[in-house]
Amino acid sequence: MHLQTSPTSHFSNLHNNYRDLLYLIFTNKHNIKIMKEQNIFINQIGYATESQKFGYVRCHKDKEFYIKDEKNQIVYSGKLNAPKKDRVAAEDICTIDFSDFTQKGKFSVCVADDVSFPFEIGENLFSDLYYKTLRYFYLSRCGQKIEDKDFGHEPCHTGKALIYGTKEEIDVQGGWHDAGDYGRYIVAGTKTCMDLLLAYEAKSSFEKFDILDEVRFELEWMLQMQRPDGALYHKISCFKFCGFIEPQDEKEQIVLAPISTTATADFAGCAAYAHTFYKKSDPEFAQKLLDAAIKAQNFIDSNPDFIYTNPPEITTGGYGDRNITDEKYFALCSLYAATKDKKYLEKAIDLFQNYQEIPRDGTEPQKTEMFQGFGWGSVAAYGTEILLKNKELIDSNLYQTLKKAIIDRAEKLLKISENACFGTCIERVFWGSNGHVCDEAHLLLLAHDLTGKKEYFDVAKKQFDYILGCNPVNYCYVTGFGSNPTVNPHHRPSGALKKCMPGMLAGGPAAGLHDADAKKYLQGKSPLNCYIDVVGSYSTNEVAIYWNSPLVYVIVKLGLV
C-alpha cells in the first residue's frame, strides 16, 4: 500500500464493490483520504458513446484488459498498448484504448485482478458537471445575498475600501471571490471572463445558467476598479488572509492595492471584447465597457509601465508579472476588433514582431516568438484568437502568421502528449497545473478550429480525461464528482461550513512543494504525484475562478453539453 501516514494515524477499512478505501485522521483538522494503491485510471464520470475512450494502467505482466458490466459479465476485451514512461509521472504506464466500444451502460475496466472505478458510457453525462462548475461562480459572488441551501449567506464585504497609501475610502461592491480566499483580483477576473465569454460564443443555446448575466456581475465590479484617469487598481482584499470563516464574517478593513499595467491592459482587452456580447441586450452598458477600455488603453499609451508587487503591508495574492507585453498585445488586438481603428492593430503587430522574453535569471531580455498562452500571466493567445476570429479585418499574410503561431504551439503539445504516460501536454508541473492543463486544451481546440486536424481535438479530450481521473493519483479533481473526488479543498466557505462546495476544480499537483503539508507528505514524489487532498495544502488543493473557467470552456468545445 502507498500510504501518506503519520505516527499518530489510525485506520478503518471501508468496503464496497469496487475497492477498499482507508481514511487517516490526524490533529482533528484534516481528513486525508488514503487508498489502496489503484493501478487502473479512467475518466470517473464516463465517456460519450461515440467519443475516443482511453484509460491507463500501471505496467502489468498481463497484456489484456476486459470491460465488465454491472452484472460482472465481460462485454469487451482488448490488448494493452506498449508502456510509456515520462519525467512527470516517472513510471511505466500502458494505455487502454476501448474507443470502438459503444455500448451504453455502467462498466469497469479489469486487468488481471485489478479493477477500475466504475464509469458510464452514454450521452449527456457531463451536464451536471457543467452546471455545478458554472454555479460555483454565482456562489462566489461578493457583496450580495447568496441564495443556496448549503452555501447561502448575507451580503459580505460591504464596507468602503481604503485606497492604499491614502486616507481616502471609496465604495467598491461586487465581483467574484477569487479563489480559496476572499480577495478580488483584476488579472484573474479578466481571464475568467474571457474563458466564459468564449464558451458562450461557442454554444448556441444555454439553459439553467445565464453566463452573460454572471460575467456582467464581474464586469460591473471591474468598472468600479477603474480610476478616473483610466488606470485599474490591481486588486481589492484585506491586508492579510483571514482564517477559515464564512465571507460575511470577514470584517477587517478592505484595501485597494496600487494600480498596475497588467490589470489595466487586461481590463482593456476584456472589456473591449465583452462589449460586443451586450450590444443588443443593453447598448448603453456595452458602450460603457468600450469607453472604459479605450480610457484604459489611453492611460497605458501616455504613462510609464507600472509593474505590480505587493506593498509590504499587503500579504494577499500578488499576481505579479515581470513581462507585460502580452497583456498590452491582448488589449490592442481586442480594441482593434471592437473599434476597427488601425492604430491599435499597428501597435499590436509591433509588439508581436518585437517580443522579448525576460529571463528569470535577471539577464538581458532576448528577442523571441511571443508565447501563445491562455494563463492569467500569459494572455497573448486571447489577442491572437480574437484577431483570427475577425479574419476579415486583417490581411492574409498576418492571418497566416498568427495561425502559424497557434499551430506551432499545438504541434509541440502533440509531441509532448505522444510521449506522455497519461497523454498530458505539460512538461512543468507548477502551482495551478490543472488549470494549465485546461488552458492547453483550449489552445488545442483553437488549433482544431483553424485546421480541422482531429489529433488536436483528441489530445484536448485526453486533457479533460486527465482532470476527471486519468492521472497517477487517481483523483477526479472536481469536487462532488467521480468515485474519488477532491473532498478537502483549500476553500474558506467549505472549510468554515465543514462541507465541500461541489463543482470546483482543485489546483492539482505542484512539484515545488510550496506549503507545509506538501513538504511533509510529498517529498520525493514525481511531479504528477505531488498532490494531497487536505485543506492546508494551498499550493495543490486550492480552487480558483480562473481554473474553473477554462474547464467550462473545454466542456463546451468538446461538445459534451
Side-chain angles (χ1 to χ4, degrees):
M1 275 191 180
H2 173 64
L3 298 174
Q4 297 157 333
T5 62
S6 72
T8 59
S9 64
H10 65 46
F11 304 92
S12 63
N13 291 318
L14 300 176
H15 300 280
N16 58 31
N17 63 351
Y18 55 86
R19 74 179 300 179
D20 295 338
L21 295 179
L22 296 172
Y23 291 82
L24 168 65
I25 313 298
F26 73 102
T27 69
N28 295 319
K29 293 182 180 179
H30 301 304
N31 290 336
I32 301 183
K33 185 165 52 180
I34 304 299
M35 303 177 301
K36 179 181 178 180
E37 188 168 73
Q38 184 81 352
N39 292 315
I40 301 177
F41 316 92
I42 47 84
N43 183 321
Q44 294 174 24
I45 296 178
Y47 304 83
T49 309
E50 300 299 330
S51 72
Q52 66 169 10
K53 305 176 189 72
F54 289 108
Y56 303 87
V57 62
R58 288 193 171 93
C59 194
H60 207 286
K61 64 180 181 180
D62 199 305
K63 303 301 181 186
E64 210 167 14
F65 71 91
Y66 304 89
I67 294 179
K68 292 185 177 181
D69 62 16
E70 290 184 284
K71 297 178 180 179
N72 208 35
Q73 299 297 308
I74 295 175
V75 292
Y76 183 88
S77 64
K79 298 290 185 182
L80 301 178
N81 290 344
K84 294 179 181 178
K85 185 175 184 178
D86 63 24
R87 182 189 65 83
V88 292
E91 56 183 328
D92 291 316
I93 299 293
C94 296
T95 302
I96 299 168
D97 185 353
F98 54 105
S99 298
D100 59 348
F101 179 64
T102 58
Q103 181 178 327
K104 295 181 180 180
K106 294 182 179 179
F107 307 95
S108 297
V109 175
C110 307
V111 179
D113 294 332
D114 287 308
V115 183
S116 75
F117 286 127
F119 62 91
E120 192 170 354
I121 295 177
E123 305 306 323
N124 302 315
L125 302 182
F126 301 96
S127 294
D128 192 38
L129 172 74
Y130 173 68
Y131 289 115
K132 289 289 196 327
T133 305
L134 279 171
R135 184 164 174 77
Y136 160 71
F137 293 101
Y138 167 74
L139 296 177
S140 300
R141 285 186 176 194
C142 183
Q144 74 169 55
K145 184 174 182 178
I146 299 300
E147 303 287 350
D148 187 80
K149 65 181 180 66
D150 293 317
F151 295 96
H153 59 80
E154 294 301 311
C156 59
H157 304 98
T158 55
K160 287 192 174 183
L162 175 70
I163 298 176
Y164 177 79
T166 76
K167 294 182 179 180
E168 182 182 356
E169 293 184 334
I170 62 174
D171 192 33
V172 178
Q173 300 293 320
W176 298 311
H177 298 142
D178 170 68
D181 63 285
Y182 297 129
R184 289 159 283 162
Y185 307 83
I186 291 292
V187 294
T190 50
K191 181 220 169 353
T192 303
C193 287
M194 289 300 299
D195 291 336
L196 295 179
L197 290 172
L198 288 166
Y200 179 87
E201 189 175 40
K203 188 171 169 58
S204 58
S205 63
F206 287 83
E207 300 175 357
K208 298 183 182 179
F209 195 92
D210 190 338
I211 286 183
L212 290 187
D213 180 66
E214 196 60 47
V215 170
R216 178 168 180 160
F217 184 80
E218 182 80 350
L219 292 169
E220 294 274 16
W221 163 71
M222 290 184 196
L223 288 167
Q224 298 171 63
M225 294 287 284
Q226 187 173 36
R227 293 194 322 194
D229 62 359
L232 271 287
Y233 294 109
H234 192 75
K235 63 176 180 176
I236 183 171
S237 71
C238 294
F239 282 94
K240 61 183 180 180
F241 292 122
C242 66
F244 278 78
I245 58 177
E246 292 187 69
Q248 71 274 19
D249 295 330
E250 186 178 46
K251 303 294 187 181
E252 298 298 319
Q253 174 69 57
I254 53 176
V255 59
L256 284 163
I259 65 168
S260 72
T261 301
T262 50
T264 305
D266 279 341
F267 170 77
C270 178
Y273 184 69
H275 101 282
T276 61
F277 290 83
Y278 300 95
K279 287 174 72 172
K280 288 185 178 180
S281 61
D282 191 341
E284 184 177 344
F285 177 63
Q287 189 61 48
K288 186 177 182 181
L289 288 173
L290 184 57
D291 291 345
I294 293 171
K295 183 188 288 188
Q297 183 60 48
N298 289 342
F299 177 87
I300 294 170
D301 289 340
S302 57
N303 287 275
D305 292 337
F306 291 86
I307 307 297
Y308 184 82
T309 56
N310 265 343
E313 300 93 336
I314 301 177
T315 58
T316 54
Y319 291 96
D321 194 340
R322 295 172 300 114
N323 193 335
I324 60 177
T325 306
D326 52 297
E327 285 82 7
K328 291 180 176 181
Y329 169 79
F330 162 46
L332 292 164
C333 292
S334 188
L335 279 163
Y336 173 61
T339 66
K340 315 300 186 294
D341 189 333
K342 288 197 172 182
K343 70 181 181 184
Y344 296 124
L345 180 63
E346 290 167 359
K347 292 177 182 178
I349 293 172
D350 181 64
L351 292 177
F352 181 88
Q353 292 177 338
N354 296 289
Y355 180 78
Q356 290 185 323
E357 186 58 54
I358 301 176
R360 293 178 180 274
D361 60 8
T363 57
E364 288 297 312
Q366 301 293 319
K367 185 174 180 179
T368 184
E369 293 183 0
M370 179 178 282
F371 178 76
Q372 297 297 315
F374 287 107
W376 66 261
S378 299
V379 298
Y382 290 110
T384 300
E385 182 167 5
I386 288 170
L387 291 183
L388 291 170
K389 284 177 177 290
N390 289 274
K391 183 177 180 179
E392 72 283 359
L393 297 181
I394 57 178
D395 65 46
S396 59
N397 288 335
L398 178 58
Y399 178 83
Q400 292 302 327
T401 298
L402 297 176
K403 178 180 175 181
K404 183 178 182 299
I406 297 297
I407 301 308
D408 285 350
R409 271 226 68 219
E411 284 295 317
K412 290 178 182 177
L413 297 179
L414 281 191
K415 289 179 181 178
I416 296 169
S417 176
E418 287 170 3
N419 297 310
C421 295
F422 292 90
T424 53
C425 293
I426 53 174
E427 293 182 302
R428 291 176 55 237
V429 183
F430 49 77
W431 196 327
S433 62
N434 283 344
H436 181 56
V437 165
C438 294
D439 289 335
E440 299 293 45
H442 182 160
L443 188 129
L444 287 160
L445 290 164
L446 173 57
H448 176 257
D449 287 346
L450 293 171
T451 65
K453 186 173 178 178
K454 186 175 181 294
E455 288 86 346
Y456 297 143
F457 186 92
D458 290 345
V459 173
K461 173 62 165 55
K462 288 181 179 179
Q463 311 314 298
F464 181 68
D465 291 338
Y466 168 87
I467 293 295
L468 299 185
C470 290
N471 56 69
V473 292
N474 222 326
Y475 271 91
C476 176
Y477 284 121
V478 183
T479 57
F481 290 89
S483 299
N484 185 39
T486 292
V487 295
N488 297 301
H490 185 90
H491 178 241
R492 277 161 179 75
S494 296
L497 295 169
K498 294 181 171 53
K499 61 178 72 174
C500 182
M501 185 182 290
M504 302 186 297
L505 177 60
L513 306 184
H514 303 281
D515 61 72
D517 283 321
K519 288 179 171 67
K520 184 174 182 179
Y521 295 105
L522 301 175
Q523 291 289 345
K525 293 186 179 296
S526 65
L528 287 187
N529 280 282
C530 288
Y531 171 78
I532 185 168
D533 183 20
V534 297
V535 173
S537 185
Y538 53 82
S539 66
T540 76
N541 215 32
E542 192 169 11
V543 299
I545 55 173
Y546 53 91
W547 297 334
N548 258 50
S549 59
L551 179 59
V552 170
Y553 176 85
V554 170
I555 293 170
V556 169
K557 288 292 289 185
L558 288 174
L560 298 174
V561 290

